[in-house]
Amino acid sequence: MLRILVISDPPAAPGYLPRLRYLCDYLVRQGHVVTLLTEAYQPLDFRHSYPIETIGMYSGTTADWAVKTAWTLLSDWHNRVFAQRAIKRLEGTQWDVVLCTAFSDFPLGAAQRIADHYHLPLVCDIRDLDEQVEDSKYQYHHRTWWTMPFRRLYRAVHLRRRNNVLRAADAVTTVSPWHAEFIRQFNPNVSLAYNGYDETQFYPGTSSLSSFTISYIGSLFDWQQPWLEQLKAIIRDLQLPVVFDCHTPSNNPVPHDRLGDAIRSSSIMLVLTNPNTHGMLTTKFYEALGCAKPVLCIPSDQGSLAELIRYTNAGIATDDPQLIRAFIEDQYREWQTNGFTRQPVVHREEFSRETQSRQIEKALKQAVGF
């Protein structure tokens, strides 16, 4: 049994951090003692089998956020003060290892300070990297216009702080072969734990569907929009009764507990990527794999995602309009014949969240010498 202090950015809407939440539940099922420490942001309206400690950092006003963001740039206020408040909150507790899961430099710096304070090994689980998308467009798409002139400075500071923590970590886990290879320059003790799907929520269905629906579920970035418009043009040219459903966090979002139903009621799951991205293996791909729904990935990233789609026979990854047309027509004929679509996927069990969590648990045990 390990006593594990998990430190994370908030598992709140719209993403809810399914990788983190499943991992914590899995570790508890395995007999470990888990406490999740995170920043106060939104009410956490999901079931959990472990205590969650939240620490407030912002008052909620724009002025407070702006001042603290500027001070963070100069003094790492966010990580530094979060760690101070956490240590005070956790006084008298004992742990065996600190696990930090992050997509940015917060809360990596806080986790390192807390691990150092308790003289504990630190394991970092890296979900995203700035460098995975050209010009850091993935990390900065949500920032307000007036912060953009400071982007280069912010990015340089963020990367330096992130890399310092990666060098100091006892072990690192991450989500794709590209991420693992990139991180290896900072820390050789890095292992791969793909994202995956929760088998209790994402499983195949055989109910007849009243319409042929192509669905997109997830965030939609500017650099994905041209490919979405190209697909819509192809659908119009096909002159088939195709329904296109687009669910983004700001437009017709799908509640996290209904995602499985939404995928099973789709005929094709659309995944949008870009050849200039690296190692972005979107969770929606794994969830479509779990539901055995055909995946249409456009364009091909010519990398890890295309390789996984081939390896699992999950669908196609292409930017060829003729191949896209043929794929849609094939799936449409299957829907006409059977009333639903089901992709004959292979190696599906390798990408369940159970498998992923077992790999991260192994890294934790090795860090402790368990």
Side-chain angles (χ1 to χ4, degrees):
M1 179 199 75
L2 295 178
R3 296 165 296 183
I4 306 167
L5 178 62
V6 181
I7 303 174
S8 173
D9 46 314
Y16 291 96
L17 303 190
R19 179 180 176 92
L20 164 76
R21 293 189 293 108
Y22 189 98
L23 172 63
C24 290
D25 284 328
Y26 167 86
L27 291 171
V28 171
R29 291 199 304 271
Q30 294 301 106
H32 304 296
V33 175
V34 174
T35 293
L36 173 60
L37 179 67
T38 189
E39 183 178 351
Y41 177 61
Q42 293 176 353
L44 302 179
D45 57 348
F46 57 86
R47 295 175 182 174
H48 49 90
S49 56
Y50 45 89
I52 300 177
E53 296 283 350
T54 59
I55 295 179
M57 299 296 293
Y58 298 96
S59 69
T61 67
T62 301
D64 178 75
W65 175 84
V67 169
K68 289 174 178 175
T69 297
W71 192 232
T72 292
L73 186 63
L74 295 172
S75 71
D76 204 13
W77 173 87
H78 200 183
N79 279 301
R80 180 169 49 81
V81 174
F82 183 91
Q84 291 171 355
R85 294 177 182 177
I87 290 168
K88 185 176 180 180
R89 174 79 63 85
L90 298 171
E91 187 175 0
T93 57
Q94 292 185 330
W95 312 98
D96 297 311
V97 62
V98 173
L99 169 65
C100 180
T101 176
F103 78 99
S104 185
D105 69 324
F106 178 83
L108 287 170
Q112 183 184 13
R113 288 172 170 87
I114 293 168
D116 288 347
H117 175 82
Y118 286 103
H119 305 290
L120 296 175
L122 171 65
V123 176
C124 296
D125 181 51
I126 303 300
R127 308 193 308 271
D128 293 296
L129 292 167
D130 264 77
E131 297 87 348
Q132 69 196 32
V133 177
E134 183 183 34
D135 198 27
S136 301
K137 291 176 182 176
Y138 178 74
Q139 297 285 15
Y140 297 103
H141 77 280
H142 62 287
R143 299 195 182 277
T144 51
W145 65 269
W146 62 269
T147 66
M148 298 309 287
F150 305 101
R151 183 169 69 176
R152 286 189 178 181
L153 175 61
Y154 183 91
R155 183 175 188 266
V157 171
H158 151 73
L159 293 181
R160 176 173 55 81
R161 291 172 179 166
R162 180 203 68 187
N163 295 343
N164 286 340
V165 177
L166 292 178
R167 290 186 182 98
D170 293 270
V172 181
T173 58
T174 194
V175 295
S176 83
W178 184 90
H179 286 73
E181 187 59 32
F182 187 91
I183 292 169
R184 196 163 281 115
Q185 65 185 299
F186 309 112
N187 192 319
N189 190 17
V190 57
S191 57
L192 176 59
Y194 285 107
N195 272 319
Y197 62 91
D198 183 345
E199 293 176 289
T200 65
Q201 187 177 4
F202 301 100
Y203 50 85
T206 56
S207 298
S208 294
L209 306 175
S210 59
S211 62
F212 183 85
T213 303
I214 299 177
S215 296
Y216 180 79
I217 303 175
S219 297
L220 188 60
F221 304 108
D222 292 342
W223 42 271
Q224 295 171 311
Q225 195 71 43
W227 299 100
L228 178 61
E229 295 307 315
Q230 182 175 336
L231 175 64
K232 289 180 178 178
I234 291 172
I235 292 173
R236 287 193 296 269
D237 290 344
L238 283 172
Q239 296 184 341
L240 295 175
V242 176
V243 176
F244 182 76
D245 273 349
C246 186
H247 303 270
T248 69
S250 59
N251 179 29
N252 194 24
V254 179
H256 68 281
D257 59 346
R258 298 298 305 276
L259 282 171
D261 293 334
I263 294 172
R264 281 186 290 275
S265 64
S266 302
S267 305
I268 294 176
M269 284 299 299
L270 173 64
V271 173
L272 294 172
T273 184
N274 189 293
N276 293 322
T277 63
H278 305 286
M280 288 189 66
L281 306 179
T282 171
T283 300
K284 292 302 173 290
F285 158 71
Y286 294 107
E287 292 169 350
L289 178 68
C291 294
K293 281 297 175 180
V295 170
L296 173 59
C297 174
I298 56 172
S300 172
D301 69 335
Q302 301 174 17
S304 300
L305 182 54
E307 290 173 8
L308 274 188
I309 289 172
R310 284 193 295 269
Y311 178 70
T312 58
N313 193 43
I316 64 168
T318 184
D319 54 4
D320 184 331
Q322 295 306 315
L323 291 178
I324 295 171
R325 288 173 61 96
F327 184 76
I328 295 173
E329 289 171 336
D330 285 347
Q331 300 303 325
Y332 184 83
R333 284 191 289 269
E334 181 179 340
W335 171 74
Q336 282 187 310
T337 301
N338 300 326
F340 61 91
T341 58
R342 180 165 179 174
Q343 186 71 10
V345 298
V346 295
H347 307 300
R348 177 173 168 269
E349 66 285 347
E350 295 180 24
F351 301 97
S352 71
R353 291 211 180 271
E354 182 91 6
T355 300
Q356 165 216 103
S357 297
R358 193 179 306 119
Q359 292 164 336
I360 298 176
E361 180 190 27
K362 179 180 178 181
L364 290 168
K365 288 182 175 180
Q366 289 175 340
V368 176
F370 187 81

